[in-house]
């Protein structure tokens, strides 16, 4: 019996039209383009400003483009996994809204809440579903409206985040030498004090007090998060390379979570991997949480070649972190 593997066969994406520049932010908080650029490497970010639209709208647009690009019959999609920290509602799930809006009548779906690592965790789950023979076609979509939980009076965090979504189609294959190869995912659970939203959950439900004290926005202790992110992401890539019998020269692309350009540079320096092998688009999108890695795939798709060794790595609230190793499944310049 031939071994079944999971392979990404297409990428779709969507970012809102509105561009929030550093200059505009400098009119709102005490900051400057130079300060933001030198510290985090961001020039602009996309913001979903239309009333009544949330992250599922972004995800729906990304999945719709994915379906159009790949030509997949929507009724053959078995499952939709949506990674998001900024779901439209506490319930129902973003996945269910996307399925309903796009008429994916034979799919079931659910959300994965793994902060900035959401895409890695969702791809790992999708691969497991396919490898065991349960499903043949799974859509993984990461959709984030980070502007909805960003405090635009906090100069330390408001410069970081943007909105966007991207999706991949994962399919079953028996072709050797392509597809999902290995994952290394970890949750150490020590990160709660350093990165969280104080109110709105069951521990601290919404009240007049929580609203008045601006407790429904992202809170981050940047220095601590920076230190853990650099250490864990670089260690995780080294672990995935070691367990896959690869050396750094075997790697064609590294795709890190786009949190902060200095984090990305520090990780690649520790790994001794040149920046020309690293997908980076944070300058234009900012930190889009779990959507950042698939958005990079979307941006760089035409540079990817069949058989490329691709390593993804991310770090997020919890703390959660990890790395995936894929052998790319198609020539992006032929899409």
């Amino acid at each position: 019996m031939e071994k079944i593997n999971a392979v990404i066969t297409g990428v779709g994406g969507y970012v809102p039209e509105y561009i929030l520049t550093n200059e505009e932010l400098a009119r709102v908080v005490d900051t400057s383009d130079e300060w933001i650029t030198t510290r985090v490497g961001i020039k602009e970010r996309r913001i979903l400003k239309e009333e009544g639209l949330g992250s599922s709208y972004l995800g729906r647009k990304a999945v719709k483009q994915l379906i159009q690009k790949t030509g997949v019959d929507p009724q053959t999609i078995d499952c939709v996994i949506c990674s998001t920290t900024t779901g439209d509602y506490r319930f129902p799930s973003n996945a269910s809204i996307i399925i309903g809006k796009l008429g994916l009548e034979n799919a079931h779906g659910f959300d994965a809440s793994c902060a900035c690592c959401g895409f890695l965790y969702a791809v790992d789950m999708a691969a497991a579903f396919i490898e065991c023979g349960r499903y043949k076609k799974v859509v993984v979509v990461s959709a984030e409206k980070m502007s909805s939980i960003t405090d635009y009076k906090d100069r330390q965090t408001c410069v970081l985040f943007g909105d966007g979504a991207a999706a991949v189609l994962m399919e079953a294959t028996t072709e050797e030498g392509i597809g999902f190869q290995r994952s290394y995912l970890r949750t150490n659970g020590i990160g709660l004090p350093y990165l969280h939203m104080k109110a709105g959950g069951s521990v601290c439900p919404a009240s007049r007090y929580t609203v008045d004290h601006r407790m429904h926005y992202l809170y981050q202790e940047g220095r601590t998060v920076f230190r853990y992110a650099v250490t864990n992401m670089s260690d995780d890539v080294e672990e995935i390379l070691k367990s896959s019998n690869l050396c750094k020269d075997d790697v064609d692309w590294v795709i890190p979570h786009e949190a902060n350009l200095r984090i990305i540079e520090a990780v690649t320096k520790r790994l001794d991997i040149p920046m020309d092998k690293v997908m980076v688009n944070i300058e234009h999108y900012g930190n889009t949480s779990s959507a950042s890695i698939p958005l990079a795939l979307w941006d760089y798709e035409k540079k990817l070649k069949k058989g490329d060794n691709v390593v993804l790595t991310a770090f997020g609230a919890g703390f959660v972190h990890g790395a995936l190793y894929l052998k790319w499944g198609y020539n992006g310049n032929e899409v």
Side-chain angles (χ1 to χ4, degrees):
M1 183 177 179
E2 293 181 298
K3 182 180 183 296
I4 299 173
N5 198 10
V7 61
I8 292 175
T9 57
V11 185
Y14 178 78
V15 291
E17 293 183 4
Y18 183 80
I19 299 173
L20 177 60
T21 64
N22 291 347
E23 288 80 8
E24 186 174 351
L25 279 173
R27 296 194 290 269
V28 178
V29 293
D30 181 19
T31 190
S32 68
D33 174 61
E34 181 184 11
W35 189 91
I36 299 169
T37 303
T38 57
R39 283 163 176 77
V40 295
I42 299 169
K43 283 288 189 181
E44 60 191 32
R45 64 291 290 151
R46 301 298 184 99
I47 303 295
L48 182 61
K49 298 197 75 172
E50 290 82 357
E51 291 290 328
L53 296 179
S55 57
S56 76
Y57 170 80
L58 303 171
R60 171 171 34 118
K61 298 282 277 188
V63 175
K64 184 176 181 180
Q65 188 197 70
L66 173 70
I67 291 171
Q68 291 171 341
K69 284 177 63 177
T70 59
V72 65
D73 180 351
Q75 305 315 321
T76 65
I77 296 171
D78 299 302
C79 179
V80 174
I81 307 174
C82 180
S83 73
T84 186
T85 305
T86 55
D88 290 7
Y89 308 99
R90 293 292 296 272
F91 58 88
S93 68
N94 266 15
S96 69
I97 297 171
I98 292 168
I99 287 170
K101 291 288 187 180
L102 294 179
L104 310 181
E105 296 177 359
N106 296 313
H108 81 95
F110 58 93
D111 289 356
S113 178
C114 306
C116 300
C117 270
F119 182 72
L120 267 62
Y121 279 61
V123 166
D124 187 65
M125 285 188 282
F129 283 145
I130 291 170
E131 289 168 355
C132 75
R134 177 73 60 89
Y135 304 129
K136 293 182 178 179
K137 296 177 182 178
V138 179
V139 168
V140 173
V141 54
S142 298
E144 302 285 7
K145 187 181 176 182
M146 294 302 293
S147 62
S148 66
I149 59 170
T150 297
D151 185 352
Y152 288 96
K153 292 185 177 181
D154 178 5
R155 71 188 292 263
Q156 300 294 329
T157 59
C158 74
V159 303
L160 298 174
F161 297 100
D163 303 336
V168 299
L169 176 64
M170 298 186 69
E171 298 189 66
T173 182
T174 56
E175 182 179 350
E176 295 183 1
I178 61 170
F180 182 92
Q181 301 295 307
R182 190 179 299 273
S183 65
Y184 179 79
L185 304 175
R186 292 294 182 271
T187 304
N188 63 25
I190 66 173
L192 173 60
Y194 311 111
L195 183 54
H196 60 274
M197 190 167 73
K198 295 179 183 296
S202 58
V203 168
C204 185
S207 67
R208 177 172 293 182
Y209 177 88
T210 63
V211 173
D212 289 346
H213 287 78
R214 309 183 71 79
M215 297 170 65
H216 293 266
Y217 297 114
L218 179 148
Y219 169 82
Q220 175 175 269
E221 292 187 16
R223 290 183 179 179
T224 302
V225 172
F226 184 101
R227 185 173 71 253
Y228 277 100
V230 170
T231 301
N232 288 134
M233 288 170 69
S234 54
D235 287 352
D236 294 346
V237 172
E238 287 183 338
E239 177 61 33
I240 207 84
L241 294 181
K242 179 181 177 181
S243 60
S244 303
N245 295 315
L246 298 174
C247 68
K248 67 178 187 297
D249 293 334
D250 296 321
V251 176
D252 295 294
W253 292 102
V254 173
I255 312 177
H257 167 49
E258 310 275 333
N260 179 320
L261 183 58
R262 289 195 302 151
I263 290 176
I264 295 170
E265 290 173 340
V267 168
T268 55
K269 183 177 180 179
R270 287 192 68 185
L271 293 168
D272 193 25
I273 290 177
M275 284 296 291
D276 61 6
K277 286 188 172 186
V278 183
M279 294 188 186
V280 180
N281 61 8
I282 190 171
E283 178 181 1
H284 300 295
Y285 299 141
N287 181 345
T288 55
S289 189
S290 71
S292 75
I293 289 178
L295 277 172
L297 285 172
W298 183 53
D299 271 359
Y300 281 76
E301 182 182 22
K302 291 191 179 301
K303 294 187 177 184
L304 287 160
K305 299 186 293 294
K306 187 173 183 178
D308 275 355
N309 290 321
V310 180
V311 176
L312 322 177
T313 184
F315 175 91
F319 293 126
V320 294
H321 56 93
L324 301 182
Y325 165 40
L326 314 173
K327 291 190 76 69
W328 196 249
Y330 61 95
N331 293 318
N333 61 2
E334 296 176 1
V335 175

